Amino acid sequence: MVSNVRRHLLTSTLLIGTVVATPAFAQTEEAPAEGEAIVITGSRILRPNLEANSPVTTVTGLETTQNADVTLDTFLNTLPQVNPAGTTTSNNPGNGGQSNIDLRGLGANRNLVLVDGRRPMVSASNQTVDLNTIPQGLIERIDVLTGGAGAAYGADAIAGVVNIILKDDFEGVDLRANYSNSMPQTDAREYQISGTIGGNFAEDRGNFALSVEYAERQGLIKAQRPFAAQATSTTGSFPTGSLVNSASNPYSQTTVNSIFTAYGVPTAQLPLTNQLAFNSDGTLFGVGTFNNPRDVVNFRYALNSPANPNLNYFPDFYSYNFDIVNILVLPLERYSAFTRGNYKVNDSFEFFVQGAYTNYKSATALAPTPVSTGIVNTTSTASGLNARSPLVAPGQRITGFVVPVTNPFLQASPDLVALVNSRTGDDPLLTGSGAAEGVRIGYRFLGTGLREQQLENEVIQGLAGLRGEIAPNWRYEAYYSWGKTVIDQRATGNVNVQRVQQLLEAPDGGVSLCAGGFNPFGIQPFSQACVDFVDEVGVTKTTFTQKIAQAYITGQLAELPAGPLSVVFGAEKRDFRYEFDPGALFGPIAGFNTSTPDLGTNSFLDFFGEASIPILKDAPLAESLELTLTARHSKSDFNDIQNGVDGSPSNDWSYGGTLTWSPVRELRFRASYQHSVRAPNFGELFSGGGSFPQIFDPCSNNSNFRATRGAAAATICQATGVSAGTINTFVATPGAQAFITVTGNPNLKPEKSDAFTAGFVFNALGFTGSIDYYNIKVSDTIFSPDVNEIIASCYGYNDINPSLSATNPYCGGLFRSNNNIAAIFLPPSLGGDPATGYFQAVNQGSVKTSGIDFQLGYNLPTEFVGPESSISFNLLLNYLFDFKVTGLGGLQTDYAGTASYFGAGLGTSFPEWKGTMNVGFNLNKAFSLQSRVRYIDAMENRAARQYIGETFTGPGSVWYFDFALQGQVENMTLRLGLNNAFDRKPPTYAPNVQSGTDPSTYDVIGRRFYVSARLKF
């Protein structure tokens, strides 16, 4: 039997445009009375619950736990309006294992999470809320409003609002427990235990409730799933060590030929001077070339050795398989407690309080450290983030390591000595010349182990307020909240490059500094004493504090012919403080990015108002017409205390309106417009860091660009760094990545958005449904430039550089090493930092997305089975018209229907069709069968929209089927289920986000069984 809650909500689907997800069976929560005044998300005006006009997707709290999801975002990501972004299956996500939500793919920082219409404590410098801090046991329902709500709730609600409504006046005890694991592997354990207790007191004038929870998730590494065990991108940083050739002081190709001929390598396979790495026995091996007769030669490691060659490419060429030890599913352990209470003195004074505490631990892991830290001369005044060495020429900078020719481990290899002595030129980056110059090497440090982050988040928030009636039909509410988030991070596996250089430059190879010293030529023993000498453990602390004061009044200002004119007037003050302490991890450290201290504040002062104006009401025909207007004035200011930057305050207006018309009881039309202005947050203003996004190289000889643009393509490729001698043979390494650095920008302006929705809801022949069109455009967007758009613009894939001029500014920042694009800097003319060429967060272009949401629900009684039997179904669909991004130079690209890749940002896969259908068969009050079907449309690769004419693979369409069996005996409910029952593997494509696929969009665990129990009394 569909519960009273469900009957009311399904009716509301017609009358208020609330889209309702799967009916919950054997549910006992009570719904509001039909005429009771409540607040529906999107408005603060009290109204009968069957007359609200906001288009909202609503799910119950019970539904968020039915599939044994231990994090709230796991369930919300199945809704078509939500674009999965940084999730539990995103290795090393930028949010540090937090649980965020991303509406419409516009970014988690462009939607607002509320609890009972109020802001909870944030957990990041971009002021996003970690859903791990929300008590699942106390959730009554979740309203997901998309299409903009900046005027009603705050300018950061550009994409919409996720309003989590908690149970009010809870009485009784509600105990839940669930356990899930993968099948048949049983290697993805999750379990959760929660309890809620509450009751009334003082003759029901007061209520107090407490909810506690413990949850644990077992981590997985990529080796545990065959599709993810081999990296689909490549790296030039090897644990074997490799030689770095110099164009101005090269190794002799004749000497290379002689050495490898002695190894027995045939002439056609002899490696080039820039293709050499080290075996552990003092010999050399050739690393090979992609799609070229030169394969890996003289490789003297076992395939399952620590050299760990990537078998996707070996023996065509050698690349270290860094993915096999990376995390596929982040581990989690969470404790939380939430309490709330209220006491009503009289109709005018009701006190309410709530408090929340969450502590959870998570971890990330990456392959051992590749060293790309800069080294400068000992006399240099460059940043302390660089190491120093007398082997580097004054005024110059290199990356990696440099070894003196006197190093005893180098001298122990006759082949390496012969190669080093073959040099006769002069590398301007190094001191000396010819054979006396230092030897540059690349290296990945296996000795210090995985780069691991252990994260502990502690979040606390308290709130107290007063509400009541101040006059007939007039109410008020005022509250103050204070919250604090502390994130402690311990990062291991870092390498102190200065100390490594100290070992390399020691006359004895470092033996006097630590047992055994450091031999970088091949995979060699590395003592614990040497690990202790070079290893750097980073301990950092991030602290956020938030203070919010809000007050508003609402009531009926006048009686109009069609009904009362209702209004809201209010004010809100928000203060946000951000502090980052990098601890002692500052200097020439490789591994996790080193950082400088941060300390700053953001503050906001808002005044808002709302008016609901009834225009027409015809009771006999049930015809009505209503207009709702909202406006908010926001003054924002920031202060970078650490760097002494006092920002300039900005004053912005957000406003909007909603028009609803119901010609008959069975049909309601609605339309809305919202204009929002979002000020930059502290992270955008001042934070940054380095990364290695995946790129495509048009200069590769096998590209369509080279095949169709002929001599002009060859000319621009040479002008941008491909050597003339290899221009017709150079084939770029697949899955290549390029280094960039992104910095904050204190000169950012607020971004603006306009959101329009239009649609209708209906109720006919037992069907309830809705169709809504949405169109959201964000202008002056705060983004960092897309590196692949820059590359594509340089090489004429769009209208920016059709003549293939090498002097075009988009070409000016490309830096190549051994022909491959190794790093990208941004010229000042395109918004790059003038001093460094680093990418800055800038106000660039716009993002526009539009589409249609469909919802259809039906409940079919099956009395021939039993008097309480029925079949219910609910369908949620989204069709995406476009997702157009306008970036540097006015370049516009539509990414609708594309799957993303690494470096483009999590949550940037945009299938045209997404859908979820829930079907339930309720045999009787105690027994039900339920199923959920999820669909994700096929997509082409995002790169295909940027590099038009090139060929990339994309994922096919995916169906997931979930089944559950539920039974209830008195106060006990038991549920057994299978998620992804047919064990659908994630589609793989290239280039991809991670693990050969997009692990946020697709299920990377596989079939999961679960059992859950609930006891309520």
Side-chain angles (χ1 to χ4, degrees), residues 229-253:
Q230 297 292 324
T232 57
S233 58
T234 59
T235 176
S237 182
F238 308 150
T240 64
S242 59
L243 275 178
V244 177
N245 192 43
S246 168
S248 54
N249 190 18
Y251 299 103
S252 166
Q253 185 65 54

Side-chain angles (χ1 to χ4, degrees), residues 1-13 19-25 27 29 31 58-63 66 874:
M1 180 179 69
V2 179
S3 69
N4 290 336
V5 169
R6 282 303 184 182
R7 282 198 295 269
H8 281 301
L9 289 176
L10 289 171
T11 304
S12 301
T13 300
V19 178
V20 183
T22 319
F25 298 91
Q27 187 176 336
E29 285 89 344
T58 297
V59 294
T60 68
L62 182 61
E63 289 168 324
Q66 279 185 329
N874 185 272

Side-chain angles (χ1 to χ4, degrees), residues 669-688:
F669 296 94
R670 62 190 179 206
S672 71
Y673 168 77
Q674 294 283 338
H675 175 79
S676 299
V677 180
R678 186 184 73 88
N681 56 53
F682 198 85
E684 293 163 333
L685 291 165
F686 304 110
S687 296

Side-chain angles (χ1 to χ4, degrees), residues 144-387:
V144 181
L145 171 66
T146 58
Y153 295 109
D156 38 0
I158 282 177
V161 170
V162 178
N163 193 6
I164 301 167
I165 310 299
L166 303 183
K167 292 181 174 67
D168 197 17
D169 294 331
F170 178 84
E171 287 190 274
V173 176
D174 189 350
L175 304 175
R176 303 171 190 253
N178 60 60
Y179 172 86
S180 68
N181 214 327
S182 62
M183 178 186 289
Q185 297 93 340
T186 64
D187 59 1
R189 181 187 69 248
E190 294 182 356
Y191 62 88
Q192 184 179 39
I193 302 171
S194 66
T196 303
I197 185 171
N200 293 335
F201 60 90
E203 299 178 341
D204 293 339
R205 287 185 292 131
N207 178 267
F208 179 83
L210 171 67
S211 181
V212 295
E213 179 183 289
Y214 174 79
E216 184 176 312
R217 179 176 64 231
Q218 181 183 15
L220 296 182
I221 63 172
K222 295 185 180 182
Q224 293 175 264
R225 292 296 181 270
F227 69 86
Q230 297 292 324
T232 57
S233 58
T234 59
T235 176
S237 182
F238 308 150
T240 64
S242 59
L243 275 178
V244 177
N245 192 43
S246 168
S248 54
N249 190 18
Y251 299 103
S252 166
Q253 185 65 54
T254 301
T255 305
V256 172
N257 294 345
S258 175
I259 291 172
F260 278 84
T261 298
Y263 296 152
V265 175
T267 301
Q269 294 285 308
L270 294 174
L272 301 178
T273 56
N274 62 350
Q275 299 175 326
L276 304 176
F278 312 117
N279 290 309
S280 297
D281 60 2
T283 62
L284 305 171
F285 73 88
V287 301
T289 304
F290 170 64
N291 199 25
N292 184 281
R294 289 189 180 91
D295 291 341
V296 178
V297 291
N298 199 44
F299 185 78
R300 300 186 181 185
Y301 298 94
L303 296 183
N304 60 353
S305 72
N308 197 11
N310 188 327
L311 299 181
N312 283 332
Y313 309 112
F314 192 88
D316 185 23
F317 67 94
Y318 172 68
S319 177
Y320 174 64
N321 180 25
F322 55 84
D323 244 4
I324 196 168
V325 293
N326 283 354
I327 285 183
L328 182 64
V329 176
L330 303 182
L332 172 73
E333 184 180 30
R334 181 179 70 229
Y335 303 84
S336 66
F338 190 96
T339 183
R340 66 183 315 185
N342 58 277
Y343 179 75
K344 187 175 183 179
V345 179
N346 52 46
D347 289 343
S348 298
F349 298 99
E350 181 181 8
F351 297 95
F352 59 93
V353 295
Q354 69 182 38
Y357 174 81
T358 301
N359 179 287
Y360 72 90
K361 299 178 177 68
S362 187
T364 69
L366 293 172
T369 297
V371 176
S372 59
T373 304
I375 304 178
V376 296
N377 187 266
T378 52
T379 62
S380 175
T381 58
S383 165
L385 297 176
N386 296 282

Side-chain angles (χ1 to χ4, degrees), residues 542-561:
T542 308
T543 305
F544 307 101
T545 56
Q546 176 179 275
K547 302 175 184 178
I548 300 176
Q550 185 189 95
Y552 67 88
I553 59 172
T554 178
Q556 298 177 5
L557 190 62
E559 188 68 30
L560 303 179

Side-chain angles (χ1 to χ4, degrees), residues 475-554:
R475 298 186 59 81
Y476 73 94
E477 177 176 300
Y479 76 89
Y480 175 82
S481 73
W482 176 90
K484 184 175 184 178
T485 297
V486 178
I487 303 173
D488 289 309
Q489 173 184 298
R490 178 181 171 85
T492 59
N494 300 293
V495 175
N496 187 314
V497 176
Q498 187 65 64
R499 290 206 164 190
V500 176
Q501 276 297 132
Q502 190 178 348
L503 294 175
L504 293 172
E505 294 171 18
D508 59 359
V511 174
S512 58
L513 299 173
C514 61
F518 173 44
N519 182 354
F521 304 109
I523 298 178
Q524 307 288 354
F526 197 63
S527 70
Q528 184 60 50
C530 287
V531 170
D532 294 340
F533 185 77
V534 304
D535 184 44
E536 291 282 356
V537 176
V539 179
T540 68
K541 182 184 291 289
T542 308
T543 305
F544 307 101
T545 56
Q546 176 179 275
K547 302 175 184 178
I548 300 176
Q550 185 189 95
Y552 67 88
I553 59 172
T554 178

Side-chain angles (χ1 to χ4, degrees), residues 407-419:
N407 181 280
F409 297 113
L410 186 155
Q411 292 294 322
S413 170
D415 291 345
L416 188 53
V417 169
L419 196 60

